Amino acid sequence: MTFEIVPGDASSPYVIHVPHSSTRIPDDVRTQLLLDDDELAEELRLMTDARTDELAALVARQVAPRPWSFVNHLSRLVVDPERLPDEHEEMYDVGMGSVYTRTSAGMVLRDVDEHAERLLLKRFFTPYAEALADLVDERITACGYAVLVDLHSYPVEALPYELRQDAKRPPVCLGVDVDHTPTALRERAFRACSGIGEVVVNEPFAGSYIPLRHFGRDNRVASVMVELRRDTYMREEGSMDPDGVRRVSDALAAILGA
C-alpha cells in the first residue's frame, strides 16, 4: 500500500494530509538511487518529516467529529506528491521537482531519465493525486466543503536545497494560499499554533497543498499548511518530547475541531 486513507466521521469536512513522513522506498526504486546505504540513510533523516504521521493519528483520536487522514507510505525520494509534475514546479531547476534527481545538498540522487520519470509518475504520483482529490470531493458531497490541513516539519537549520536560505525559521510556519485559505481559517490556525511558539506566515515555506483538480477552480476547498520546526516536538536523538507533542496536538485539535 503506497498511501492510506484513515476514515473519519461522515460529518467531518477535515482531511489531515501527511505527505512526507515515510522512509519506505520500494526495492526496484532503490536501484535507481545512486547513493550508498549510509548516504541514503542520512538523506532520509534530513528530508523526512519525522513522525508527523504519529502526530496526525494522535490528534485525530482526540477531535470530534473525527477528521479524515491521508497518509503517504512512501518516501518523498520515490516521488514527491506535493510538487507539480512538470517544469512549472519552482524546485524543478534544482533537481527537486516531483521526481528528485538531486539530494538536499545538490548531489546526484538519480540519473535524469524522462522515461523512468514518466513511469514513476504514472505508478505513484497520479494514483495518489487522484485518490486525494476523490477524498476531497467526497467531503464536499457530505459536508458542502472540504478543509485540508497539510502537516509537515522542517529542521532547525536550512538545508542547502532551500531557496530562501535567509528566511526565518520559527517554531511554526503557517502556509496559506491566496485563493484557498479563507481569512477565518488562517486566523484560527494562527491563534491555535501560537500555543506552540512564534508563528510566521509563509516563511520559510509558502502555500498549502490543494489538489490540482480543485486548485483555482473550486472555492469549496480550503487548505492551510502547518510546518512544525522539528525541535518543537522531537528531541535531538529522535524521540518524541511529551510536552512538545501535547502543545502540537492541542494546536492541531483547535484547528480541526472548529
Side-chain angles (χ1 to χ4, degrees):
M1 178 170 29
T2 62
F3 57 81
E4 180 182 9
I5 298 172
V6 183
D9 291 338
S11 61
S12 176
Y14 288 96
V15 177
I16 311 173
H17 183 214
V18 188
H20 294 156
S21 65
S22 178
T23 60
R24 180 182 164 226
I25 299 173
D27 291 342
D28 62 318
V29 179
R30 172 66 181 96
T31 63
Q32 301 173 10
L33 305 182
L34 304 180
L35 306 182
D36 65 30
D37 288 346
D38 289 341
E39 292 169 336
L40 178 59
E42 177 63 7
E43 185 67 7
L44 288 169
R45 185 187 71 82
L46 293 171
M47 291 296 291
T48 302
D49 292 357
R51 310 187 77 159
T52 48
D53 54 340
E54 297 175 48
L55 292 175
L58 174 65
V59 72
R61 290 193 295 269
Q62 69 185 68
V63 173
R66 181 175 178 137
W68 296 65
S69 298
F70 193 103
V71 183
N72 189 7
H73 286 315
L74 293 179
S75 168
R76 66 196 298 182
L77 303 187
V78 180
V79 298
D80 191 332
E82 292 218 316
R83 301 279 164 88
L84 294 173
D86 55 34
E87 65 277 6
H88 292 98
E89 168 58 51
E90 69 172 355
M91 302 301 295
Y92 184 86
D93 289 340
V94 296
M96 300 186 81
S98 53
V99 177
Y100 296 178
T101 58
R102 296 278 174 172
T103 69
S104 59
M107 295 171 55
V108 176
L109 176 66
R110 53 161 64 87
D111 291 326
V112 176
D113 183 331
E114 292 183 2
H115 176 68
E117 180 176 326
R118 285 195 297 271
L119 291 178
L120 286 170
L121 293 175
K122 181 178 180 180
R123 179 179 172 189
F124 299 118
F125 185 96
T126 300
Y128 184 105
E130 290 181 349
L132 183 48
D134 287 345
L135 177 59
V136 168
D137 281 337
E138 290 171 8
R139 297 297 85 224
I140 293 172
T141 298
C143 304
Y145 64 101
V147 182
L148 277 166
V149 175
D150 195 27
L151 186 59
H152 295 261
S153 71
Y154 65 97
V156 174
E157 301 293 335
L159 297 175
Y161 83 93
E162 295 182 29
L163 300 182
R164 305 173 67 189
Q165 288 289 311
D166 297 329
K168 294 179 180 178
R169 302 184 78 79
V172 182
C173 162
L174 201 66
V176 303
D177 178 85
V178 65
D179 294 318
H180 289 277
T181 309
T183 299
L185 175 60
R186 172 176 170 156
E187 292 178 349
R188 183 168 77 249
F190 193 97
R191 287 194 303 270
C193 291
S194 294
I196 302 171
E198 181 188 12
V199 182
V200 177
V201 175
N202 283 346
E203 190 175 0
F205 304 102
S208 188
Y209 182 82
I210 302 102
L212 290 177
R213 184 189 300 171
H214 305 91
F215 180 65
R217 301 173 182 173
D218 193 338
N219 61 10
R220 296 174 298 174
V221 180
S223 183
V224 65
M225 177 174 70
V226 178
E227 282 265 13
L228 302 164
R229 202 177 63 203
R230 287 181 198 141
D231 63 344
T232 61
Y233 66 94
M234 286 178 59
R235 300 188 179 103
E236 190 170 347
E237 87 283 358
S239 66
M240 298 280 249
D241 174 66
D243 289 338
V245 168
R246 176 186 51 77
R247 286 190 290 270
V248 167
S249 62
D250 286 349
L252 293 174
I255 300 169
L256 294 159

